Amino acid sequence: IISTGASGLVSGWLKGYKLLKKLQPDFIISSLWKSVGLSATYKLLNKKVYLCGFFHSASSPHLTSTVFMKLMSFVQDASLADSYATKQFLEKFYKIKNASVIPYVFTFTQKAGHKDYNPLAIKIAYFGRISQRKGVDRSIEFCNLLKKEGVNFIFDIYGDGPIEIYKEKIKNSGLVNVAYIQKILPLHLVMEKMQCYDFLLQLSNHEGMALAVVEAMICGLVPIVTPVGEIKRYSIDGFNAIWLDPAFDDNLPGLVEKVKKVLNNPSVYQSISTAAAGTFINYKKYSEVLVEVVDSYLKD
């Protein structure tokens, strides 16, 4: 990991280009739209380098991302996708075919065992970007309904974004002593912290692989999720997850009832938790698949 020490996007591209000229790479993976100005320019001026665009969502978050990732689709030699849902999106939206899927499943050495929890005082967490797109507004409303039903819980939100705005939303929803925005965690500490909770709450509008959901399931948390992106492929409602059914905002009361049924039957919680922890046992890990794909490209 090399930091350019740049203070802005354009200066980052310029310093990054000088660094690439020094390193003389044979293979570049360009991840997310902010990297495209650098990697695409380097590719255009250095034709021999093999360039892969790495796509991480089954939707386009905004126009700037669309423009830059479209540019990547013209310049790149191959595409990587974090899930099959993202791959399908690439085929439909960017007309990119034959993207290689590199699933966001990482090695987890600590075994997720039997989770003891108190159904009378449950712990819920969210990890990720704090935004409407990620469903944080919807999660706050869900917690509001959950509180009105007499469920005793704590909801901790770990992430960055317009924190003050969301603190105000929490206050206006009457959740001041229930929901808390915590400091964002370094990535290597996320799974350790996850094991302090019973449920993961992630009610996004769009997702790719949804790394936080994957990590929470590996830790044995019961995920309360929207079946979007790859989530609907690796989770099953009532088996290893609890789904918010479409239309999402209209069905929040139904989701509250689903969660209450699980809380009223600890054996059901344990069953879902155990199934969640075992979901990715037979998946190849990210590093293994990445090495295989890069090797296959270099041999072509």
Side-chain angles (χ1 to χ4, degrees):
I1 297 175
I2 303 172
S3 173
T4 64
S7 58
L9 186 60
V10 176
S11 63
W13 290 343
L14 294 173
K15 290 186 176 183
Y17 188 86
K18 291 179 181 179
L19 178 62
L20 289 177
K21 288 294 288 183
K22 181 179 179 180
L23 294 174
Q24 292 291 304
D26 299 306
F27 196 102
I28 293 176
I29 297 174
S30 185
S31 178
L32 303 177
W33 73 265
K34 289 184 180 180
S35 69
V36 176
L38 167 59
S39 55
T41 300
Y42 189 84
K43 169 66 178 179
L44 290 171
L45 297 176
N46 300 270
K47 300 291 186 181
K48 291 184 179 180
V49 71
Y50 199 102
L51 177 61
C52 277
F54 204 154
F55 296 77
H56 300 277
S57 178
S59 67
S60 182
H62 45 71
L63 180 59
T64 304
S65 175
T66 300
V67 171
F68 275 93
M69 298 314 287
K70 187 66 176 179
L71 173 61
M72 174 60 71
S73 71
F74 290 129
V75 176
Q76 67 187 4
D77 297 291
S79 296
L80 307 178
D82 71 347
S83 63
Y84 287 97
T86 298
K87 179 178 180 177
Q88 289 180 339
F89 172 72
L90 296 183
E91 292 175 351
K92 181 178 180 180
F93 194 76
Y94 291 111
K95 310 303 179 186
I96 295 173
K97 297 182 179 180
N98 302 320
S100 297
V101 176
I102 316 290
Y104 266 37
V105 179
F106 299 92
T107 302
F108 183 47
T109 55
Q110 187 168 352
K111 185 177 180 181
H114 180 84
K115 280 186 66 65
D116 292 321
Y117 86 113
N118 180 4
L120 300 179
I122 61 173
K123 298 177 182 178
I124 307 171
Y126 167 82
F127 298 83
R129 178 72 180 168
I130 301 174
S131 69
Q132 186 173 16
R133 178 184 172 82
K134 283 291 187 178
V136 178
D137 299 70
R138 185 178 292 134
S139 295
I140 291 172
E141 177 58 24
F142 166 75
C143 288
N144 182 29
L145 296 176
L146 203 62
K147 183 181 178 183
K148 289 179 178 178
E149 287 294 312
V151 177
N152 188 20
F153 66 92
I154 291 295
F155 177 39
D156 285 329
I157 300 170
Y158 294 88
D160 58 0
I163 292 176
E164 294 305 317
I165 292 175
Y166 277 86
K167 283 184 176 179
E168 190 67 20
K169 290 178 183 288
I170 288 170
K171 179 180 178 181
N172 293 338
S173 298
L175 299 174
V176 172
N177 296 318
V178 174
Y180 303 90
I181 297 180
Q182 307 288 1
K183 290 182 180 180
I184 190 169
L185 294 170
L187 292 178
H188 69 283
L189 295 179
V190 168
M191 294 183 79
E192 178 183 338
K193 178 61 68 174
M194 281 180 169
Q195 293 173 83
C196 300
Y197 294 91
D198 308 307
F199 295 87
L200 178 85
L201 181 60
Q202 184 160 321
L203 304 180
S204 310
N205 293 314
H206 304 281
E207 285 292 346
M209 187 66 180
L211 176 60
V213 178
V214 172
E215 291 179 326
M217 292 175 74
I218 291 172
C219 292
L221 277 68
V222 170
I224 305 171
V225 293
T226 43
V228 295
E230 197 72 7
I231 297 173
K232 63 178 178 288
R233 291 176 177 266
Y234 59 70
S235 71
I236 300 173
D237 189 25
F239 174 68
N240 61 356
I242 302 174
W243 283 7
L244 170 59
D245 299 317
F248 297 143
D249 292 320
D250 294 336
N251 283 312
L252 286 173
L255 180 61
V256 171
E257 293 305 313
K258 284 185 179 183
V259 172
K260 285 174 61 180
K261 288 180 180 178
V262 172
L263 295 179
N264 290 333
N265 194 335
S267 65
V268 173
Y269 174 87
Q270 296 297 347
S271 175
I272 297 175
S273 172
T274 300
T279 299
F280 301 99
I281 288 177
N282 295 320
Y283 274 59
K284 281 189 175 182
K285 298 298 185 291
Y286 176 93
S287 56
E288 297 170 344
V289 181
L290 181 62
V291 168
E292 291 175 1
V293 169
V294 171
D295 187 53
S296 69
Y297 287 157
L298 293 176
K299 287 180 178 178
D300 285 345

